[in-house]
Amino acid sequence: MKEALYDFIGHYGYIALYLLLSAGIVGVPIPDETLMAFVGSLTAPGGPFEYAPTLMVIYAGTMTGMIVSYLIGHRVGKPFLHRYGKWIKLTPGRIERAEGWFHKYGLWTVFFGYFVPGVRHFTCYLSGVSGVKFYKYMLYAGTGALLWCTTFLTLGHFIGSNLDGLFQLIHKYLGVSLIVIVVVAAVVIAIYFRFRKRRVV
């Protein structure tokens, strides 16, 4: 499948990137991180893509997928997802797990969900289902998407020919990375509320 995706990108360039990232966020089984890292390696000196335009294209594709997912969740609700979600791997078990994360951490789940395979697809739909204000959703989703796209594109850009080794490291240390991200987020939130409390006093 990866070879077919890479051939698609080779033939259609930035248009292919936009379509693939949009479809991947909606739920089509596309290896998003691997794809972005691979494209990042093609932005190295002498490569067929430019770094800045590539980042803008994959970010636009990601946000398109996020908006489509939010609108579907907002318009059709959870019953529709339970009935038809299996076609895009939105199984009841995964929906329930993502919903638990969403109720526990709120919109931070959308922000950090990008880095959790199998979760980012559901948080978008659940944001729409739960009736989160669109501007709030866009703030968290947009910031998280920018961080996610930049991270993997940049890794691919600097790793270049050692891309296979990068993928092995990603799979090996993904759990550790998530723990670090959660700890950093907790510290930032604690500092924010402490500062806010002082301002109120």
Side-chain angles (χ1 to χ4, degrees):
M1 180 181 179
K2 290 181 182 178
E3 289 74 14
L5 294 178
Y6 298 160
D7 288 341
F8 183 53
I9 294 172
H11 280 90
Y12 299 102
Y14 291 119
I15 295 176
L17 289 178
Y18 174 81
L19 294 176
L20 289 172
L21 266 299
S22 300
I25 293 298
V26 172
V28 177
I30 292 172
D32 301 313
E33 290 93 347
T34 303
L35 178 65
M36 287 191 292
F38 168 73
V39 174
S41 71
L42 300 180
T43 65
F49 292 101
E50 296 284 339
Y51 180 86
T54 301
L55 177 59
M56 289 188 288
V57 169
I58 64 174
Y59 179 67
T62 299
M63 287 309 300
T64 299
M66 296 292 289
I67 293 172
V68 169
S69 300
Y70 173 90
L71 293 177
I72 292 175
H74 183 68
R75 296 290 183 181
V76 302
K78 195 188 303 181
F80 180 89
L81 297 182
H82 279 288
R83 186 172 182 179
Y84 298 105
K86 60 184 179 181
W87 299 108
I88 50 176
K89 295 189 176 183
L90 289 172
T91 62
R94 288 181 173 180
I95 293 175
E96 183 178 349
R97 182 179 64 173
E99 191 171 21
W101 281 42
F102 191 83
H103 286 311
K104 188 173 183 179
Y105 302 110
L107 282 171
W108 286 106
T109 306
V110 177
F111 182 90
F112 292 111
Y114 286 98
F115 294 89
V116 186
V119 172
R120 59 177 167 269
H121 310 100
F122 310 122
T123 56
C124 316
Y125 290 101
L126 292 175
S127 296
V129 170
S130 63
V132 171
K133 296 293 185 183
F134 184 70
Y135 75 90
K136 288 185 177 180
Y137 171 75
M138 288 297 291
L139 175 63
Y140 283 84
T143 307
L146 183 59
L147 177 62
W148 182 61
C149 293
T150 303
T151 297
F152 286 96
L153 186 70
T154 303
L155 283 174
H157 176 80
F158 286 109
I159 295 297
S161 60
N162 298 315
L163 202 57
D164 290 336
L166 168 65
F167 294 152
Q168 293 177 5
L169 288 174
I170 289 174
H171 285 91
K172 184 175 181 180
Y173 296 108
L174 181 61
V176 176
S177 301
L178 291 176
I179 293 174
V180 172
I181 290 173
V182 170
V183 171
V184 171
V187 172
V188 171
I189 294 172
I191 293 174
Y192 168 77
F193 281 110
R194 187 170 183 179
F195 178 74
R196 185 178 180 182
K197 186 177 181 180
R198 287 182 177 178
R199 289 186 62 183
V200 171
V201 174

